[in-house]
Amino acid sequence: MSVCTTEEQKAQIIAAVDLLAAQATELALNIHANPELSFEEVNSAAALIAPLRAAGFEIEEELGGLPTAFRATYNSGKPGPVIALLAEYDALVNLGHACGHNLIGTASVTAALALKQVSQFLTGRLEVIGTPAEEEGGGKIILSDKGIFDDADAVMMFHPRDKTMVVRGGLACVDAVFKFYGKAAHAASAPQNGISALDAVIHTFNGINALRQLFTDDVRVHGIITDGGSATNIVPAYSEAKFLMRADTVKGLAAVKQKVFDAARGAALMTGARLEIEEGQIYAERNNNLTLAGFFQQNLEAIGVEVVPPPLKGGIGSSDIGNVSQITAAIHPYIRIGDVLPHTPEFAVAAGSEAGLQGMLQAAKALAMTALDLCQDDTKLRAVREEFSNWQSKQ
């Protein structure tokens, strides 16, 4: 009996994804047409679970205590690595899938379904982990803290973008809500009796703006006023602002956060308002496993996708994949779906376009082929794990 070469095995994976293309397209467009916000992705999670359950994956719902998180597992019964493909599926407020999470989740599910069709080539355990609330709430952070990724030898996902890049950094970030409590008064007849919570918010913005010249180049601080009062003739008794702070590392972020919080505290002191601070999850910086990214690039190029180097600086956002990358070997490559940037109406359109769907299928093929590399080649798996171990020893 002849034994399939790796190239022949990968050809079968490519063919399997092609056969799944119609199903994947329907799934991605369904999620795109019915966007759900962070921690509310009930229908999106169910839609992604359904084909995995039908294919015989073992399903765990409400993973880590999160109602819309899940894990779908196929155990080959043979010794080998634990490979996790991550699915995202939350949308943005007022913009829908302007970050393309409908494509991300569907690509990982399609890759897993294709691998299941060639299960005779697999070793170890294959998982699809549904990770809700990437945009708001840090689902992967919560799952990381609960040990969900501790057993994984490699974690992979893709993200749509305007360029195909297999390595791209990610800033550490944290959000915070500043709630100021003042005292209402008639703004014309008795303003002296009031304490303006809105003035406290405005002074917070001014204080942060005064800090900007002192921040290092990697730092980003951006905010909005979410409540500025209810009437112009009433001194606002309550006002609220939300800020997002970013820096190269969690350590650098801590210093930025302290300065921003002090600006808010100073504004409260100036105005006499009382301040409450609600701090969100800390998204860690990204540790890209370059070895694993290299294998992913080889597989992309093998199916005719051109990969470009990332910009030398700038253009970096944040994601909770950074927290996962502190635990195990991880990659978060990007695949081009058009001349559009995330978090814009134009990107939302692209995430439901022919180019978006094509990028999703390219990602599914490369994810599945890279998983096969780790199952079939102990040398590649060791190289990935050694890089992570070497990085970990330096932390």
Side-chain angles (χ1 to χ4, degrees):
M1 183 176 66
S2 62
V3 178
C4 286
T5 65
T6 301
E7 289 71 22
E8 290 170 334
Q9 293 172 8
K10 289 183 178 181
Q12 291 187 40
I13 286 175
I14 292 168
V17 171
D18 287 338
L19 288 173
L20 290 163
Q23 177 182 339
T25 295
E26 182 179 359
L27 177 57
L29 292 179
N30 175 44
I31 295 172
H32 184 269
N34 299 281
E36 296 172 303
L37 301 180
S38 296
F39 295 123
E40 299 175 6
E41 319 95 323
V42 176
N43 295 322
S44 298
L48 292 167
I49 289 169
L52 293 165
R53 179 180 279 121
F57 282 75
E58 179 184 344
I59 306 297
E60 300 170 71
E61 297 187 64
E62 299 189 15
L63 187 67
L66 299 180
T68 54
F70 68 87
R71 175 163 51 197
T73 304
Y74 170 72
N75 195 327
S76 72
K78 293 172 280 189
V82 177
I83 300 170
L85 305 178
L86 304 191
E88 294 179 359
Y89 33 93
D90 59 322
L92 287 155
V93 176
N94 298 326
L95 286 175
H97 279 289
C99 209
H101 292 190
N102 63 308
L103 304 176
I104 295 171
T106 306
S108 288
V109 168
T110 304
L113 294 173
L115 286 165
K116 180 66 162 50
Q117 291 187 18
V118 295
S119 59
Q120 68 272 24
F121 305 139
L122 299 184
T123 61
R125 192 167 80 238
L126 174 65
E127 299 179 345
V128 178
I129 301 179
T131 61
E134 189 274 337
E135 297 292 352
E136 292 281 349
K140 295 184 194 65
I141 302 172
I142 298 169
L143 295 175
S144 294
D145 290 344
K146 295 189 176 182
I148 298 302
F149 305 103
D150 289 356
D151 292 339
D153 291 296
V155 170
M156 297 186 288
M157 60 176 290
F158 105 100
H159 202 293
R161 184 75 197 213
D162 62 328
K163 298 181 181 68
T164 298
M165 306 173 287
V166 297
V167 176
R168 194 77 179 105
L171 297 172
C173 80
V174 66
D175 63 10
V177 178
F178 298 135
K179 299 182 174 183
F180 291 95
Y181 297 85
K183 182 180 179 182
H186 195 289
S189 63
Q192 69 276 7
N193 294 331
I195 296 173
S196 176
L198 178 58
D199 280 348
V201 166
I202 292 170
H203 284 308
T204 298
F205 273 85
N206 290 336
I208 292 169
N209 286 337
L211 290 169
R212 294 189 188 279
Q213 66 172 320
L214 308 176
F215 288 145
T216 52
D217 289 345
D218 59 296
V219 173
R220 299 287 185 272
V221 180
H222 21 268
I224 58 171
I225 297 175
T226 50
D227 191 331
S230 57
T232 57
N233 61 352
I234 301 174
V235 174
Y238 177 78
S239 194
E240 180 182 295
K242 185 173 185 179
F243 280 86
L244 190 61
M245 295 149 274
R246 307 182 199 250
D248 270 346
T249 64
V250 169
K251 182 178 179 181
L253 180 65
V256 173
K257 184 181 74 172
Q258 185 63 47
K259 290 179 180 179
V260 170
F261 282 16
D262 283 348
R265 294 185 182 107
L269 186 63
M270 290 169 64
T271 58
R274 178 172 62 86
L275 170 65
E276 290 181 0
I277 300 175
E278 289 185 359
E279 183 178 343
Q281 299 275 11
I282 295 177
Y283 287 52
E285 67 271 20
R286 193 175 306 164
N287 168 39
N288 290 296
N289 189 282
L290 301 181
T291 304
L292 186 56
F295 299 147
F296 189 88
Q297 178 170 344
Q298 290 170 12
N299 287 314
L300 271 182
E301 291 173 341
I303 60 173
V305 179
E306 181 184 2
V307 178
V308 301
L312 295 177
K313 61 183 296 186
I316 300 175
S318 307
S319 172
D320 52 7
I321 188 67
N323 299 71
V324 181
S325 73
Q326 310 292 313
I327 295 170
T328 190
I331 58 170
H332 183 277
Y334 296 88
I335 291 182
R336 172 181 165 81
I337 65 167
D339 293 321
V340 287
L341 291 173
H343 292 213
T344 63
E346 294 78 14
F347 200 93
V349 173
S353 70
E354 186 62 35
L357 297 168
Q358 180 183 9
M360 174 191 73
L361 295 173
Q362 291 169 341
K365 291 174 182 178
L367 288 168
M369 293 160 72
T370 306
L372 181 70
D373 283 330
L374 301 183
C375 288
Q376 290 286 305
D377 193 331
D378 288 341
T379 303
K380 289 183 176 180
L381 178 62
R382 281 198 303 271
V384 168
R385 295 305 307 169
E386 285 174 8
E387 179 183 329
F388 179 77
S389 295
N390 291 337
W391 172 87
Q392 198 172 40
S393 67
K394 296 174 184 176
Q395 303 309 301

